[in-house]
Amino acid sequence: MSTLIGRTRARAVETLSLDATDTRNALSAALVGDLAKALADCAGDPEVRAVVLTHTGTTFCAGADLRDPPDPDMLVALLRQIVELPKPVVARVTGHVRAGGLGLLAACDITAASTAATFAFTEVRIGVAPAVISLPLLPRTDPRALARYYLTGERFDPVEAVRLGLLTTTADDVDEALAPILDGLRRSSPQALTETKRLLTARVLETFDRDAADLTALSARLFASDQAREGMTAFLERRDAAWVV
């Protein structure tokens, strides 16, 4: 069993927990690889009806691990894997979500967060853009409403995340909110779930087919830039970047 992904099962629902609390569940190459393997196991297991993606610690996912970032192609493949998984993937969030972590949420079919959760697209503050994660995000959210948070990096709350289309629901007790959802999935035919998910994700997959290569190239170019080096150094040194006025 992976040390970075916790796994439990209850009544045909497999729960995968991001478990790298020392890095706030940042998307390192190792964590992305372990999550991809766990998802592949779920896809091939006829005893798994649905997958819940959650976390340990106070942060669902802090975005890319700046010390050990995954290759952009690797992240694209993970996001597509979630979208294409032949079983519903439900995100359960009780903490903070930043940057690339929001791509994970957008790739999931149903997303629920507690009212304690916070969200931010912090890429612009370190000199890059939310490029790869736009593949699942833009088809599933309101682009006009999203523009403010893409461009400013401001934090927003779960109520705003629901308005944007990033979250399905929010509640003080996220497990109470998820109970009827998981019950519904358990009562549904596996075949019907697979085909219904295929209907729902067709537009998202069209975006992957059309834009993945360009957005991957954009991500690689930005991460190699002088401004990104300054932004990431400033972040790690806990200071303002040189361009802050």
Side-chain angles (χ1 to χ4, degrees):
M1 181 179 293
S2 167
T3 58
L4 297 180
I5 304 296
R7 298 179 67 170
T8 59
R9 187 178 301 182
R11 294 178 52 213
V13 174
E14 184 92 354
T15 297
L16 305 179
S17 300
L18 306 183
D19 191 17
T21 53
D22 55 330
T23 61
R24 298 190 302 144
N25 296 322
L27 295 170
S28 64
L31 187 145
V32 169
D34 285 353
L35 180 55
K37 182 182 184 304
L39 288 166
D41 290 345
C42 291
D45 189 339
E47 300 301 316
V48 175
R49 184 71 50 83
V51 176
V52 170
L53 181 60
T54 189
H55 60 104
T56 58
T58 59
T59 300
F60 174 78
C61 178
D65 187 332
L66 300 183
R67 292 186 171 91
D68 179 28
D71 183 274
D73 288 326
M74 194 177 183
L75 183 55
V76 169
L78 176 65
L79 296 176
R80 181 162 195 149
Q81 183 181 15
I82 295 171
V83 174
E84 285 190 315
L85 205 79
K87 301 166 187 195
V89 182
V90 179
R92 174 192 175 274
V93 178
T94 61
H96 310 300
V97 192
R98 300 290 183 265
L102 294 161
L104 292 182
L105 291 190
C108 293
D109 303 289
I110 298 170
T111 51
S114 75
T115 49
T118 67
F119 308 86
F121 295 98
T122 51
E123 289 90 344
V124 290
R125 298 196 178 190
I126 64 165
V128 297
V132 167
I133 64 171
S134 288
L135 291 166
L137 268 160
L138 292 181
R140 284 180 156 166
T141 57
D142 178 347
R144 188 65 173 171
L146 199 64
R148 170 179 175 174
Y149 301 104
Y150 258 38
L151 290 169
T152 67
E154 293 172 274
R155 281 184 293 178
F156 54 99
D157 64 20
V159 173
E160 184 72 345
V162 171
R163 186 181 77 86
L164 297 177
L166 180 65
L167 287 182
T168 306
T169 188
T170 182
D172 291 338
D173 186 335
V174 70
D175 293 313
E176 185 176 300
L178 281 173
I181 294 170
L182 297 181
D183 181 63
L185 295 176
R186 289 182 171 113
R187 291 175 180 273
S188 301
S189 146
Q191 170 184 277
L193 288 175
T194 296
E195 294 305 323
T196 301
K197 174 166 178 172
R198 198 188 308 275
L199 291 173
L200 292 167
T201 58
R203 182 178 166 219
V204 182
L205 291 172
E206 287 174 2
T207 302
F208 273 82
D209 291 339
R210 184 187 67 235
D211 298 334
D214 288 343
L215 292 179
T216 299
L218 173 62
S219 178
R221 177 171 63 80
L222 290 176
F223 269 93
S225 68
D226 290 341
Q227 287 192 23
R229 280 191 288 274
E230 163 60 15
M232 288 185 280
T233 300
F235 175 80
L236 294 171
E237 294 178 351
R238 298 182 182 277
R239 61 172 174 81
D240 284 343
W243 57 74
V244 174
V245 293

